[in-house]
Each structure stands twice: as structure tokens, then as C-alpha cells.
Amino acid sequence: NQPNDFAMLSEMLKRRLKHPEWGMPDLLVVDGGTPQCRTFKQVLSGSDIRIPFIGIAKEDEALVIPKNAGFDRIILPQNSPALHLIQRVRDEAHRFAHNYHTLLRLKVLLTGEKR
């Protein structure tokens, strides 16, 4: 009955990969560090789909990339346009998710309907 972020992340990625008609992304970006990237790696290794992915770690805004059996951390300069782009992508995903969950909560409050 406890939320499990890693199980939810795994479920989300598996559901996304079941829709090839949407087109496959060139890159997956996960909001999180090594543990979240490990979840992506496990899901992708269990499929025949090969999509590169990176994570953006919260504590120091480091990029986490798969390398061999593990992961490397890359710390870009704070004034790096590449870092700013990744941060904006992450922030937009947060804004989108927050708005979607707000909409779901309003729907439940106004109609009593759950989904």
C-alpha cells in the first residue's frame, strides 16, 4: 500500500514502449540519478528496443549515463547551455505532470468519478 517510485517508473516505461505507433524517442531522460537509471536499464534490457537514456540527478544536477555495467556521472558547468536545456525539459515534464494530477483531483472532487 506504499507508493513505490521504482515500480511506477518501470510500469510507465513498459507502457510507453507498448506503443510503437507513437514513434520511438531518440533519447529518454529520467528525472533521477543512478537508481532511476538502473530501473530504465532493467526495463530496456528486458526488451528488444534500444533507446539511449540519461538521468539528471537532483543533488548536484549531474547527468547520469550508462557505461558498461554501471553508470558515469557528468557534471556540466552551471552556465552550460546543454545543462540548461536538460533542466528546462525536466521542469516542463514536472509542470505537465503536476497539471495532469491537479486535473485528476479536480475531476474526483467535482464528479466523484475516479478516472
Side-chain angles (χ1 to χ4, degrees), residues 9 12-13 16-17 24-33 36-38 40-41 44 51-58 61-66 82-94:
L9 192 58
M12 176 279 307
L13 185 55
R16 171 58 182 89
L17 295 176
M24 287 295 138
D26 295 322
L27 176 69
L28 296 169
V29 179
V30 61
D31 181 19
Q36 288 80 6
C37 285
R38 192 174 293 119
F40 265 42
K41 193 172 194 173
L44 289 170
I51 302 171
F53 64 91
I54 63 170
I56 182 165
K58 190 183 309 179
E61 302 282 336
L63 299 182
V64 178
I65 59 170
L83 176 61
H84 294 160
L85 175 64
I86 296 292
Q87 289 169 328
R88 289 198 328 245
V89 167
R90 178 206 49 211
D91 294 347
E92 176 61 16
H94 283 175

